[in-house]
């Protein structure tokens, strides 16, 4: 029996954005009444809502989203529960876990304050020790239920991306995966030639 869990914030005009971004704008440019069909224009940056960062987000002449094969965005998931360690995400004893080619999710419950300024101003950060550990374990991607793995000058961002580890930010509903040990993660973006993209993040739970 399969079960699917949506890990994605809804993209709308009312979505919360960081102080570094303008609000997304939706404008209906075609209508059924006038044009016989509906069409919507969107004006936005790529790093709001649930999205993914590629290496070109931090480095010149590096990979964009469209340069990855689809299998880069699909993999077995591992959830690391940091609900009670919400500000500094530190390395723990993970010796019983196989991280290789996995999509690692970090749960802090921070998504519950997504529409609050604190979400952007006082978010958790990942230590370099944990970052280096996950790079050494050759994970495929890292997914967060908070705004960013670091603050400026973005050392953790750069470490992950220069090692071809994609970064997913602003996930939600990771609490629904706490007791799950066998699940796949899909972090599929549109095929777009940019440094980042919106995604529909989904967990597929594989029950025996």
């Amino acid at each position: 029996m399969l079960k699917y869990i949506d890990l994605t914030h809804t993209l709308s005009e009312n979505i919360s954005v960081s102080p570094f971004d303008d609000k997304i704008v939706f404008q209906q440019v075609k209508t059924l009444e006038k044009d016989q069909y509906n069409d919507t224009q969107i004006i936005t940056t790529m790093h709001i809502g649930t999205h993914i960062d590629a290496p070109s987000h931090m480095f010149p002449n590096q990979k964009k989203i469209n340069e990855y094969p689809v299998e880069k965005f699909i993999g077995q998931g591992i959830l690391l529960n940091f609900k009670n360690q919400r500000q500094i995400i530190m390395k723990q004893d993970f010796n019983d876990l196989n991280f290789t080619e996995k999509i690692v999710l970090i749960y802090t419950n921070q998504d519950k304050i997504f529409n609050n300024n604190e979400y952007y101003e006082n978010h958790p950060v990942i230590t370099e020790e944990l970052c280096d550990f996950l790079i050494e374990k050759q994970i495929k991607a890292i997914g967060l239920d908070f705004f960013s793995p670091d603050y400026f000058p973005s050392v953790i961002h750069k470490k992950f991306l220069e090692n071809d580890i994609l970064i997913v930010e602003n996930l939600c509903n990771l609490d629904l995966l706490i007791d799950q040990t066998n699940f796949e993660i899909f972090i599929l973006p549109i095929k777009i030639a940019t440094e980042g993209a919106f995604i529909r993040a989904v967990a597929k739970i594989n029950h025996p």
Side-chain angles (χ1 to χ4, degrees), residues 56-96:
S56 56
H57 182 42
M58 289 284 161
F59 299 102
N61 305 314
Q62 293 299 310
K63 285 183 182 177
K64 297 178 180 179
I65 291 296
N66 64 300
E67 296 178 68
Y68 284 97
V70 69
E71 55 265 27
K72 181 69 172 176
F73 307 109
I74 301 171
Q76 284 295 120
I78 291 179
L79 182 74
L80 303 182
N81 188 346
F82 287 98
K83 183 178 180 180
N84 297 318
Q85 188 183 322
R86 286 178 54 183
Q87 293 310 117
I88 306 295
I89 309 301
M90 303 174 66
K91 181 181 177 297
Q92 297 180 358
D93 182 6
F94 302 124
N95 291 331
D96 57 337

Side-chain angles (χ1 to χ4, degrees), residues 27-40:
Q27 181 178 355
Q28 190 164 2
V29 293
K30 300 293 181 181
T31 65
L32 287 171
E33 293 75 16
K34 181 180 178 182
D35 307 292
Q36 309 304 309
Y37 66 96
N38 288 319
D39 196 3
T40 303

Side-chain angles (χ1 to χ4, degrees), residues 2-74:
L2 297 178
K3 179 180 179 181
Y4 294 90
I5 297 175
D6 195 341
L7 308 177
T8 318
H9 288 286
T10 299
L11 206 59
S12 73
E13 284 187 300
N14 299 318
I15 195 168
S16 171
V17 300
S18 80
F20 308 109
D21 294 293
D22 295 328
K23 295 283 287 184
I24 189 171
V25 176
F26 285 72
Q27 181 178 355
Q28 190 164 2
V29 293
K30 300 293 181 181
T31 65
L32 287 171
E33 293 75 16
K34 181 180 178 182
D35 307 292
Q36 309 304 309
Y37 66 96
N38 288 319
D39 196 3
T40 303
Q41 174 179 279
I42 302 176
I43 302 173
T44 183
T45 57
M46 302 306 296
H47 299 268
I48 68 172
T50 306
H51 67 274
I52 193 167
D53 296 345
S56 56
H57 182 42
M58 289 284 161
F59 299 102
N61 305 314
Q62 293 299 310
K63 285 183 182 177
K64 297 178 180 179
I65 291 296
N66 64 300
E67 296 178 68
Y68 284 97
V70 69
E71 55 265 27
K72 181 69 172 176
F73 307 109
I74 301 171

